[in-house]
Amino acid sequence: MKKENHNINLKNSNLKVTPQRMAVLEALNNLKNHPTTENIKEYVVKNHPNIAVGTIYKTLETFVEKGLVKKVKTEKDVMRYDAIIENHHHLYCEDSERIEDFFDDELNNMLEIYFKKKKIPNFKVKDIKLQIIGTFKGNKS
Amino acid sequence: MKKENHNINLKNSNLKVTPQRMAVLEALNNLKNHPTTENIKEYVVKNHPNIAVGTIYKTLETFVEKGLVKKVKTEKDVMRYDAIIENHHHLYCEDSERIEDFFDDELNNMLEIYFKKKKIPNFKVKDIKLQIIGTFKGNKS
DNA sequence: TCCTAATTAAGAATTATTCCTATTTAGTAA
DNA sequence: TTACTAAATAGGAATAATTCTTAATTAGGA
Ligand SMILES: [Mn+2]
Ligand SMILES: [Mn+2]
Ligand SMILES: [Zn+2]
Ligand SMILES: [Zn+2]
């Protein structure tokens, strides 16, 4: 994703375009595996050695509020972020911190149809995400 | 769930039966909404005013290790625990901290069949959990 | 170019959780 | 029963992630 797009995304959200925000957006788009704030800091610091860590926290919070990024649910004490906004699911590795994206339109359709037919009493479904837990075969975990 | 069962669960896990562990188990079984450590502490303290908060953390960690309870994935900074071990899904309220259990064998079967047929490359599925996000209608949120 | 509300840097403060260690205790075996 | 000992707990210090505070800086508009 190019700088132009970041620029546009920020403006669309009524956010001032600052070097710090551009840097965090770039980190989010380049880092895989649903980065922690720490991961993002490490990436950003390369080009912006003077950025304050509080700014990164604040920036991420702002981005979540504006819907530019999403938080990823985990059972750990560190927050992780997802630069991909479109609906998708996650593969959680049982023995490492690896979390991969999983896209599957067929699955989404199946679930949509299922829950359209079978209502949940007293609950209005807005979104469904799968946590697919298991292990990655082969390559680096 | 009666005290007898707690007793048995602990012994089966090779854990000494202590008043503290009994109390935490009882709290877990009585508190709904996937309690935090704080919730559990508040409950336990009623009958065990002298329990140390560190003991509750340690006890919960031990229970998770032994598979007596599970952690619940959230995007918050407080851990939440689930006394229900059998496979089930969760309804997450968008506007509150409410998380309810959702059991659905038909859904589980559908998913099992789906993923049996459609393999995920390089990933061995062990477990699938749905996060069903939305809002509760009516009653107290 | 100037103005000002928004943003940032820096570091203190907070919160949840973990760690440490002296003391206590559950379970076991004499 | 009693004594023993590994395991568990209490109490409090330490840590780690995150949030808060405030003075200085800056982006974007007039
Ligand atoms: Mn979490
Ligand atoms: Mn924390
Ligand atoms: Zn993702
Ligand atoms: Zn549950």
Side-chain angles (χ1 to χ4, degrees), chain A residues 71-79 91-95 102 104-108 110-111 114-115 117-118 120-139, chain B residues 71-79 91-95 102 104-108 110-111 114-115 117-118 120-139:
Chain A
K71 291 181 175 180
V72 179
K73 288 185 172 61
T74 74
E75 48 192 52
K76 292 293 172 56
D77 195 34
V78 275
M79 193 53 59
L91 308 176
Y92 288 77
C93 181
E94 263 190 341
D95 352 275
F102 179 71
D104 188 335
D105 286 334
E106 188 185 345
L107 174 64
N108 291 340
M110 185 176 81
L111 289 170
Y114 183 84
F115 282 105
K117 187 168 48 187
K118 182 168 195 165
I120 302 175
N122 292 329
F123 193 80
K124 179 153 190 288
V125 176
K126 295 256 180 70
D127 194 13
I128 294 179
K129 297 228 169 89
L130 268 71
Q131 302 170 189
I132 305 166
I133 297 143
T135 50
F136 290 95
K137 304 173 199 160
N139 42 344
Chain B
K71 291 182 175 180
V72 179
K73 288 184 173 61
T74 74
E75 49 192 49
K76 291 295 170 56
D77 195 33
V78 275
M79 194 51 59
L91 308 176
Y92 288 77
C93 180
E94 264 191 340
D95 345 283
F102 180 71
D104 189 334
D105 286 334
E106 187 185 347
L107 174 63
N108 291 340
M110 186 177 81
L111 289 170
Y114 183 84
F115 283 105
K117 189 168 47 189
K118 183 167 195 168
I120 302 175
N122 291 329
F123 193 80
K124 178 152 189 288
V125 176
K126 296 257 182 68
D127 195 13
I128 295 180
K129 297 231 169 87
L130 268 72
Q131 302 169 184
I132 304 166
I133 297 144
T135 50
F136 289 95
K137 304 173 199 159
N139 42 345

Side-chain angles (χ1 to χ4, degrees), chain A residues 37-120:
Chain A
T37 308
E38 177 65 17
N39 296 149
I40 292 166
K41 194 196 84 187
E42 285 167 7
Y43 187 101
V44 166
V45 155
K46 290 178 197 159
N47 295 310
H48 295 75
N50 293 332
I51 196 168
V53 64
T55 300
I56 297 181
Y57 278 100
K58 188 68 171 351
T59 300
L60 288 167
E61 185 191 308
T62 304
F63 288 173
V64 169
E65 274 169 14
K66 298 291 185 176
L68 299 178
V69 307
K70 291 202 177 305
K71 291 181 175 180
V72 179
K73 288 185 172 61
T74 74
E75 48 192 52
K76 292 293 172 56
D77 195 34
V78 275
M79 193 53 59
R80 294 176 67 168
Y81 295 89
D82 197 337
I84 298 177
I85 298 307
E86 48 182 310
N87 196 41
H88 66 284
H89 307 287
H90 287 129
L91 308 176
Y92 288 77
C93 181
E94 263 190 341
D95 352 275
S96 78
E97 301 306 302
R98 190 169 166 191
I99 302 176
E100 295 234 337
D101 293 317
F102 179 71
F103 300 86
D104 188 335
D105 286 334
E106 188 185 345
L107 174 64
N108 291 340
N109 288 334
M110 185 176 81
L111 289 170
E112 189 174 345
I113 291 166
Y114 183 84
F115 282 105
K116 190 159 288 175
K117 187 168 48 187
K118 182 168 195 165
K119 298 283 191 182
I120 302 175

Side-chain angles (χ1 to χ4, degrees), chain B residues 42-118:
Chain B
E42 285 167 8
Y43 186 101
V44 166
V45 155
K46 291 177 197 159
N47 294 310
H48 294 74
N50 294 332
I51 196 169
V53 64
T55 300
I56 297 181
Y57 278 99
K58 187 65 169 350
T59 300
L60 288 167
E61 183 191 310
T62 304
F63 288 173
V64 169
E65 273 169 14
K66 298 292 185 176
L68 298 177
V69 306
K70 291 202 178 303
K71 291 182 175 180
V72 179
K73 288 184 173 61
T74 74
E75 49 192 49
K76 291 295 170 56
D77 195 33
V78 275
M79 194 51 59
R80 295 176 67 166
Y81 295 89
D82 197 336
I84 299 177
I85 299 306
E86 48 182 310
N87 196 42
H88 66 283
H89 307 287
H90 288 128
L91 308 176
Y92 288 77
C93 180
E94 264 191 340
D95 345 283
S96 77
E97 302 306 302
R98 190 169 167 191
I99 301 175
E100 296 235 338
D101 292 318
F102 180 71
F103 299 86
D104 189 334
D105 286 334
E106 187 185 347
L107 174 63
N108 291 340
N109 287 335
M110 186 177 81
L111 289 170
E112 189 173 347
I113 291 167
Y114 183 84
F115 283 105
K116 190 159 288 175
K117 189 168 47 189
K118 183 167 195 168

Side-chain angles (χ1 to χ4, degrees), chain B residues 1-15 17 22 25 68:
Chain B
M1 198 161 311
K2 312 115 202 119
K3 276 190 182 169
E4 288 307 309
N5 292 323
H6 293 167
N7 221 296
I8 291 166
N9 285 339
L10 290 175
K11 285 186 177 161
N12 286 346
S13 302
N14 281 329
L15 295 175
V17 178
M22 299 288 275
L25 274 183
L68 298 177

